[in-house]
DNA sequence: TTATATATATAAACAGATTGGATATATAAC
DNA sequence: GTTATATATCCAATCTGTTTATATATATAA
């Protein structure tokens, strides 16, 4: 139980930040990002496809990312996402915010 | 803007853990806990009264805390909360979980 | 008497995440 | 050829913790 995936509330508010960070390294698509997060989180963060696609739509509306159809290599078609200048700016802000949250939550949660 | 209070999504999933940690040090009541969190978070976490009272109700139903009316000293009546054995056990689990989340989110969010 | 700080509580709304379902392509196994 | 599996996207309905708005009540200072 203790090593299962985290409750969805834990990720809430960080999903966009994590997606932006991955897109900083280069364009990618939903399925790949989901797999990447699962790997990089020691198998503990299993973002559902519906979650990531609704996040994409929201972020596109907010101008953080833009999208284009790409070719698939052995599977269904892929919709690629690219981070915008605004997206880079928002990522920088969220990174700074995380640094603060991290310090403060450690104070509040630990003895 | 950068130093304002955090979005409510950031606290989501941690509210109960923070309340349990405060109750570990001794019984307390809603108003005091809210003030305490605001102080200990450098003024960045301003939990709304409705949030804390609904959390109390949820936690009491789950058997993490129990409650009793106390006397007020210069103000309205107070409802005190006390952590139960189950609450102490859940806190220990959440603390362990936070240790993991902290490490993993730092990996996912930072370059 | 007015304003402010102290203190609790509930209904309705909000928003990000999940569940469940649908659709579609390519490849490996039977 | 048919089935199973991996790849890949998307939407409607639902869930759930938090907020907004509102109500209630006591004590003290201006």
């Amino acid at each position: 139980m203790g090593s299962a995936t985290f409750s969805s509330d834990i990720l809430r508010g960080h999903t966009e930040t994590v997606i932006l960070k991955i897109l900083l390294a280069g364009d990618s698509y939903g399925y790949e990002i989901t797999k990447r997060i699962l790997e990089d989180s020691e198998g503990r963060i299993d973002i559902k496809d519906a979650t990531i696609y609704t996040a994409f739509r929201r972020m596109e509306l907010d101008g953080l990312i833009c999208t284009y159809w790409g070719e698939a290599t052995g599977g269904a078609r892929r919709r690629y996402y690219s981070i915008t200048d605004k997206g880079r700016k928002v990522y920088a802000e969220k990174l700074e915010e995380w640094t603060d949250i991290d310090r403060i939550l450690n104070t509040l949660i630990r003895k």
Side-chain angles (χ1 to χ4, degrees), chain A:
Chain A
M1 268 266 213
S3 56
T5 53
F6 298 122
S7 94
S8 59
D9 290 324
I10 297 301
L11 286 318
R12 204 167 156 132
H14 299 298
T15 307
E16 293 191 11
T17 313
V18 170
I19 291 170
L20 289 174
K21 193 247 166 177
I22 288 172
L23 292 181
L24 273 179
D27 297 358
S28 188
Y29 54 97
Y31 193 80
E32 191 179 52
I33 291 174
T34 305
K35 290 291 184 92
R36 177 80 157 282
I37 293 171
L38 190 64
E39 267 176 50
D40 292 355
S41 69
E42 307 166 14
R44 308 263 316 254
I45 300 184
D46 187 16
I47 296 185
K48 302 303 175 289
D49 51 12
T51 304
I52 208 135
Y53 293 119
T54 53
F56 281 149
R57 232 181 4 264
R58 202 167 55 231
M59 292 164 78
E60 202 189 350
L61 276 172
D62 290 341
L64 308 185
I65 55 176
C66 55
T67 181
Y68 57 94
W69 283 104
E71 283 308 305
T73 58
R77 74 216 191 288
R78 297 174 183 162
R79 184 190 276 282
Y80 278 85
Y81 291 91
S82 188
I83 189 168
T84 63
D85 283 344
K86 189 178 175 191
R88 267 179 273 269
K89 201 184 151 204
V90 168
Y91 168 74
E93 288 165 4
K94 295 225 181 201
L95 175 59
E96 208 179 325
E97 194 189 50
W98 166 249
T99 304
D100 292 343
I101 294 159
D102 192 15
R103 184 186 65 252
I104 289 166
L105 278 182
N106 268 303
T107 303
L108 289 173
I109 291 175
R110 293 179 187 285
K111 274 191 237 193

